[in-house]
Every structure is written in structure tokens, then in C-alpha cells.
Amino acid sequence: MRRPRSLLLMSVLVTGLLTAACGHDGPTAPTPAGPGPLTTPALDAMTGALGDEFRAEAIYDGVVADLGAWPPFTNVLTAEQRHSASIAALFSARGLAVPLNPWTSTTVPHFTTVPAACAAGVAAERDNVAMYDRFLTLDLPRDVRQVFENNRAASVFNHLPAFERCAP
């Protein structure tokens, strides 16, 4: 039985769209081999980024504890927790121990006013962006690069503007 040409074309088009939506090149595409190997600089970058995210969590958590649940801090605190979890997942995916969080309320600065805390948030987010800029110049596995790019974008487009709005 011969298919009408438009039906055949539609079938090819739908198959192509479904294949593209699923994120692979079809049945002959190679299977991903898992996370890429880590060089020492890449591992150091992951460790540094995780430490920076842990530090931000401790600072913003301290602001909430000291000054109350102000929106920039409560929202960004939740985001920082997601950032550190995304980096921790990179370690776990490779069977590596996730470094412990060295930051506590006693090892981070505290602030007496919300504007002062917001100004510190601006500085912290600018430093965070600069850190990711440095790390993104390295030869990183694709999954590490993606997490770093996502975390950097959140700092640039969400966290930094939120703190800039509340800073003096």
C-alpha cells in the first residue's frame, strides 16, 4: 500500500521533531558515557565553587537569623542551597566525597542593618560572578561547565539585581 506523499512527509517531520525534543540524534546516536573525567584544575574549581556557595548560604542564613526574613535574603538563600546541591551532585556523579561545609554562623560576617547586608550581598555576588568567570576559562567537562554557567547566570540576572535594589 502506497502512502500519500504528504502523510510520509508529515511522518518524517513528526519523527524529527520528537527526536529533537528528546535531545538526541536518533537511534544511531552514541550513548553518553557519563560525566567527563576531571583534571586537577577542574576538581579544584568544583571545590572552590562549592565552598563559595556554602559561604553565601551561611551569610544569608545569618542575615535572616539576625535581621528577619527579608525577601532578597530568603529568596537568594534558597537559590544558594540549590547551587551548592548542583555542585555536590557533580562530586556524587563521579563517586567522589562531597567536601564538608566549613562555614557556620560563627565563621561569616554579621550585619546590623538590612542595607549593610544588602551592600555585602552585592559585593559577594560580584565576587561570585568573577569566580565563575575564572573557572569557565578552564577545560571543564560538559556537566561541570553547565552547572557553573547556570549558577553564574543566576548571580548575574537574579541575585545581584535583588541586592542592588535593597543596597544603599
Side-chain angles (χ1 to χ4, degrees):
M1 179 169 138
R2 189 166 182 234
R3 288 186 184 177
R5 187 171 149 118
S6 60
L7 183 58
L8 179 61
L9 183 58
M10 181 65 84
S11 174
V12 169
L13 180 61
V14 168
T15 301
L17 288 173
L18 288 174
T19 299
C22 292
H24 59 78
D25 295 328
T28 60
T31 306
L38 287 178
T39 62
T40 298
L43 179 59
D44 291 346
M46 286 171 41
T47 303
L50 183 60
D52 189 70
E53 299 297 350
F54 280 155
R55 182 174 185 272
E57 281 181 49
I59 291 171
Y60 302 154
D61 190 47
V63 170
V64 170
D66 294 344
L67 303 174
W70 290 88
F73 296 97
T74 54
N75 297 341
V76 176
L77 173 59
T78 301
E80 298 296 355
Q81 291 166 340
R82 284 191 307 267
H83 294 185
S84 59
S86 66
I87 297 169
L90 296 171
F91 283 91
S92 296
R94 290 168 171 80
L96 300 172
V98 177
L100 297 176
N101 183 351
W103 300 102
T104 67
S105 63
T106 61
T107 59
V108 295
H110 288 262
F111 308 94
T112 56
T113 67
V114 171
C118 289
V122 168
E125 294 301 327
R126 286 181 179 157
D127 289 346
N128 181 266
V129 170
M131 174 198 68
Y132 280 120
D133 285 344
R134 283 190 314 276
F135 291 161
L136 287 167
T137 65
L138 301 173
D139 183 23
L140 301 169
R142 184 176 28 195
D143 60 333
V144 174
R145 179 169 301 281
Q146 186 65 58
V147 166
F148 284 9
E149 287 173 349
N150 291 346
N151 289 355
R152 181 190 180 282
S155 289
V156 169
F157 298 113
N158 300 328
H159 308 179
L160 183 56
F163 288 129
E164 287 173 337
R165 284 191 296 274
C166 75

